[in-house]
Amino acid sequence: MGAGLTQSRRRALPWLVLALWVAVLAVAAPFAGKLADVTRDGVTDYLPANANSTQVAKLQERLPGGESTELVLVYQRDGALTATDRATAERQIGQIAAEHELTDTPKGVPSEDGTTLMYPVSSNEPGADEELRNAFVDDVRETARSADGLTVEVGGPGAVIRDSKKVYDSLDGPLLYTTVAVVAVLLILIYRSPVLWLIPLIVAGIADYLSMGVAYGLNQAFGTSISGAGTAIMTILVLGAGTDYALLIVSRYREELRRIEHPYDAMKAALRGCGPAVIASSGTVAVGLLCLLAADLNSNRGMGPLGTVGVLCALIAMLSLLPAILVLVGRRVFWPLIPAFGSTPKERRSLFSAMGSSAGRRPVTVLVAGALALGALALGALNLPGDLKQEDAFVDRPESVSAMVTLADAYPDSSSQPITVMTPADRAAATLAAATSTEGVASAHVGRTGEGWTEVSVNASALPQTDAETRTIKSLRDKLDGSFVGGPSAQQIDLEKTNARDQKVVVPIVLLAVLLILIGLLRSLVAPLMLVAAVVAVWGASLGIGGLVFEPLFGFQGTDPALGLLSFVFLVALGVDYGIFLMHRMREESLGGAEPAEAALTALRTTGGVIASAGLVLAATFAVLMNMGLVSLVQLGFVIAVGVLLDTFLVRTYLVTSASVALGRKVWWPGRMAKAPEPEVLLREPERV
């Protein structure tokens, strides 16, 4: 009866898991489809929560007509504008004014050399509705067309936001398809099977769909910020981390199928063996990402929960749905390399055996050489270009940025991008007078008034996002007590300042959280410190490589202010992820009676291939971001991909193994494994981890 019950359970449980997943997806489907509706890439979705510029944006939404959409139409002809050109400009501006509600009548401002005519256009018609703002910009661009040698470009803050939105909208399809294609190719090469690669990929896709539904639920329940960059990172993590977990589980399952007859029992043994490491590693990544909640920048803070959702959905899918499908299809899924019951794999000297041997022979030499190499690479970070300006934020220059460049050349002594001051209505006159008398201010005028606040538009004499304009904005903030100073250039200042603050606050929290988790998992102090030091070194080296190639090779004129913080969080969390895989197996071998050096080399030999495969997949998925249209995403994808590869093929294989061999049992200090075992202990059954 017992055998019959076990057999019945073997058949029923996988089908029950499949049925449960069908039910879960049926519930999640309506929510997943709504995620795009709550994705926001507006100004306040990326600004610091309490910054001056954020308050300006929020107060503008409360003024009559709501938030303004500011545009600048730029008419230019090489040599000089003709009378016909000016008539064309007047006609097009008149048509725009007739079709839309503008805050005032646009007036042309000619350049001194006569080649350019600038028309500032502002409208409250779209209000805060993102779709209406986008439609307004598109309609203006449709009306303002170039003709007969006359170049017409639409720039300004509203146009920049629209062009950014176009890039984010283009991420969904290409990002998903490219990532899936990359992962598929790598899985085919890794598994060498025409069928097996499909299963982890399908399960990862299902996990991604589930994560979209959960993310929408978090937004509705807690107001979690959902941005285009955040959802892109979530997809990358689901597919990358999920495939990594699948590689570890499938590898252990294949191993167990050789010694256990029934797939159900083999999978049970596989999950018992590698499940704790998978759970621990994913939990560490999730906790590391949640530390971003301590950030003040809205975009950084919102990325934490989204990344955590992605990792946890991938974990749940790989620990339940993947095993159920593999058990149902049985051994034949591995065709043509089917692991037969009772068989032994062919013994062959692997790359990781050779690497382990070299690390084992001269551990201190390898450790010192590797540390010096990472330190030398980290020096490249000193060559990172300065903070990224708005005009350099796109890989391919869009129309809005081209318009800004044209304006900067044609109007070198004035700014085409106003600074917005929100001041209490009863102090509007005094604020206007104080702003006008501030050094660096060319002109100022009062705009709308509502709900106790008045809008003052200030034009600086310096070009946008220059040191001179920055000094003017800071002077206005110091001088106009009780008022808020915002606008695009002020927003950039606040972004840079808040990113620096977030890095000082979040980095120590991440380090402490990850260290405490590792101490609890490994029951040691030395091993966790070693792993944390290793991933910090990888982060520094990765940024250093970025510094060596960003400007000379890629032509980037600046570095995204959030790059340091985000790359740190991801590389520390994901790097420790691989460290857990290696140290877990090392601990398992030590508990089985192996000497420290033997345990370290065996762990590398048995897990090195899986960790290398997982590292390649994760690096490739983040490298997909390098095909996107925003410099910030390209830089983040590059640094993380390079960091994962360094961690996989240098730090885990050489440095951690060498350090473990050199330290011996001290690597487990102060735990009980740091002491030599009594002779009779080795005769006991190894402790299960």
Side-chain angles (χ1 to χ4, degrees):
M1 180 180 294
L5 181 61
T6 301
Q7 187 66 22
S8 175
R9 183 182 303 165
R10 288 175 183 149
R11 285 195 294 262
L13 187 57
W15 287 110
L16 181 62
V17 171
L18 285 179
L20 181 61
W21 267 96
V22 170
V24 168
L25 290 177
V27 173
F31 303 108
K34 296 179 180 179
L35 184 63
D37 297 337
V38 297
T39 301
R40 296 287 180 267
D41 293 305
V43 173
T44 55
D45 299 301
Y46 285 83
L47 287 175
N50 300 310
N52 249 248
S53 55
T54 310
Q55 301 307 313
V56 168
K58 290 180 177 179
L59 288 172
Q60 281 185 308
E61 294 177 1
R62 294 163 51 184
L63 293 176
E67 184 179 354
S68 297
T69 301
E70 308 284 346
L71 302 176
V72 179
L73 276 66
V74 184
Y75 293 84
Q76 186 185 47
R77 179 184 290 275
D78 292 338
L81 292 170
T82 65
T84 302
D85 294 336
R86 295 187 181 89
T88 298
E90 287 287 344
R91 185 176 65 255
Q92 291 181 356
I93 294 296
Q95 183 178 344
I96 293 170
E99 295 175 352
H100 299 280
E101 296 179 9
L102 305 183
T103 56
D104 51 25
T105 302
K107 296 180 180 179
V109 181
S111 63
E112 290 187 4
D113 61 8
T115 63
T116 309
L117 188 60
M118 170 181 70
Y119 280 89
V121 173
S122 176
S123 175
N124 307 122
E125 181 182 73
D129 189 292
E130 186 175 1
E131 291 187 5
L132 291 178
R133 289 202 305 269
N134 293 336
F136 170 68
V137 176
D138 291 342
D139 190 62
V140 170
R141 283 177 167 169
E142 180 67 22
T143 302
R145 292 186 174 184
S146 303
D148 299 327
L150 174 65
T151 301
V152 184
E153 296 173 322
V154 178
V160 172
I161 294 173
R162 176 55 178 145
D163 289 337
S164 299
K165 180 62 177 172
K166 285 182 179 178
V167 173
Y168 283 120
D169 289 344
S170 69
L171 291 182
D172 294 339
L175 177 69
L176 180 60
Y177 303 146
T178 307
T179 306
V180 168
V182 167
V183 173
V185 170
L186 289 174
L187 287 178
I188 292 172
L189 294 175
I190 291 167
Y191 287 137
R192 290 172 289 171
S193 168
V195 179
L196 180 57
W197 65 275
L198 268 172
I199 296 177
L201 199 59
I202 291 172
V203 174
I206 292 173
D208 184 44
Y209 195 68
L210 175 63
S211 70
M212 293 168 62
V214 176
Y216 176 81
L218 286 178
N219 173 267
Q220 296 301 296
F222 304 105
T224 304
S225 176
I226 308 292
S227 66
T231 54
I233 294 297
M234 183 176 71
T235 295
I236 290 290
L237 282 173
V238 172
L239 295 175
T243 305
D244 282 3
Y245 303 149
L247 286 168
L248 195 67
I249 293 169
V250 171
S251 175
R252 192 62 177 257
Y253 176 53
R254 188 200 297 264
E255 184 181 329
E256 298 296 342
L257 281 173
R258 297 184 185 279
R259 66 183 192 86
I260 298 176
E261 182 177 3
H262 295 289
Y264 176 91
D265 297 329
M267 180 58 74
K268 186 176 179 181
L271 292 177
R272 188 184 297 119
C274 69
V278 173
I279 293 173
S281 60
S282 62
T284 305
V285 175
V287 170
L289 293 176
L290 282 177
C291 291
L292 283 171
L293 288 172
D296 189 39
L297 199 64
N298 286 338
S299 54
N300 288 347
R301 190 171 62 249
M303 200 170 287
L306 287 181
T308 301
V309 165
V311 168
L312 295 182
C313 286
L315 171 70
I316 294 170
M318 295 305 169
L319 286 182
S320 57
L321 183 58
L322 176 67
I325 296 175
L326 289 175
V327 168
L328 287 174
V329 297
R331 298 174 185 270
R332 59 185 177 274
V333 74
F334 290 95
W335 184 87
L337 304 175
I338 299 176
F341 173 55
S343 66
T344 56
K346 292 181 180 179
E347 291 290 338
R348 57 183 180 181
R349 184 171 176 79
S350 68
L351 170 65
F352 295 97
S353 297
M355 297 172 80
S357 297
S358 62
R361 286 194 301 269
R362 300 181 182 85
V364 175
T365 302
V366 171
L367 185 61
V368 171
L372 290 175
L374 290 176
L377 288 173
L379 293 176
L382 300 175
N383 196 48
L384 283 168
D387 288 326
L388 192 67
K389 295 182 179 180
Q390 192 179 57
E391 64 191 65
D392 301 319
F394 298 87
V395 175
D396 297 318
R397 179 178 289 179
E399 181 182 344
S400 57
V401 173
S402 179
M404 291 172 59
V405 174
T406 300
L407 289 171
D409 292 339
Y411 302 86
D413 298 325
S414 63
S415 175
S416 59
Q417 191 165 270
I419 302 167
T420 303
V421 177
M422 295 300 299
T423 188
D426 57 356
R427 297 169 55 183
T431 298
L432 181 63
T436 304
S437 64
T438 301
E439 184 179 357
V441 172
S443 63
H445 63 274
V446 177
R448 296 169 295 166
T449 296
E451 296 196 25
W453 292 89
T454 294
E455 181 182 59
V456 179
S457 185
V458 178
N459 292 310
S461 56
L463 294 175
Q465 296 186 25
T466 58
D467 291 340
E469 190 202 36
T470 297
R471 288 193 295 270
T472 300
I473 292 172
K474 291 180 177 179
S475 297
L476 287 170
R477 286 179 169 175
D478 292 338
K479 195 172 184 179
L480 305 179
D481 188 36
S483 301
F484 299 107
V485 179
S489 296
Q491 292 163 9
Q492 193 68 21
I493 295 171
D494 291 337
L495 285 172
E496 295 167 6
K497 179 181 178 181
T498 308
N499 269 304
R501 174 264 176 200
D502 285 352
Q503 190 161 316
K504 292 178 182 177
V505 172
V506 177
V507 165
I509 295 175
V510 172
L511 286 176
L512 181 61
V514 170
L515 185 61
L516 291 176
I517 291 173
L518 288 176
I519 291 173
L521 289 174
L522 301 176
R523 288 167 251 179
S524 162
L525 185 59
V526 174
L529 286 172
M530 178 177 69
L531 291 180
V532 169
V535 293
V536 171
V538 166
W539 172 67
S542 303
L543 280 180
I545 294 174
L548 296 176
V549 302
F550 281 167
E551 189 170 8
L553 185 61
F554 295 144
F556 297 153
Q557 299 302 309
T559 304
D560 178 39
L563 177 64
L565 174 61
L566 293 180
S567 61
F568 178 86
V569 171
F570 284 113
L571 283 177
V572 168
L574 296 171
V576 167
D577 197 24
Y578 293 143
I580 290 174
F581 292 162
L582 184 66
M583 298 302 291
H584 178 270
R585 189 59 181 257
M586 193 184 302
R587 190 172 186 276
E588 188 176 349
E589 295 295 329
S590 297
L591 289 170
E595 290 299 314
E598 180 187 354
L601 298 179
T602 301
L604 176 60
R605 185 176 64 254
T606 55
T607 65
V610 177
I611 291 177
S613 300
L616 284 173
V617 170
L618 192 63
T621 53
F622 271 100
V624 171
L625 290 175
M626 295 176 63
N627 291 323
M628 302 300 110
L630 291 176
V631 171
S632 59
L633 293 181
V634 174
Q635 292 179 338
L636 183 64
F638 177 86
V639 170
I640 295 178
V642 168
V644 169
L645 292 176
L646 281 176
D647 189 74
T648 302
F649 293 101
L650 175 61
V651 173
R652 296 294 148 232
T653 49
Y654 275 121
L655 302 192
V656 172
T657 302
S658 298
S660 300
V661 172
L663 290 170
R665 296 190 182 279
K666 295 184 181 68
V667 77
W668 303 112
W669 186 89
R672 63 181 180 84
M673 289 176 59
K675 302 177 182 178
E678 298 294 332
E680 64 270 16
V681 173
L682 298 179
L683 300 178
R684 298 175 187 168
E685 181 180 352
E687 175 185 334
R688 289 194 178 275
V689 182

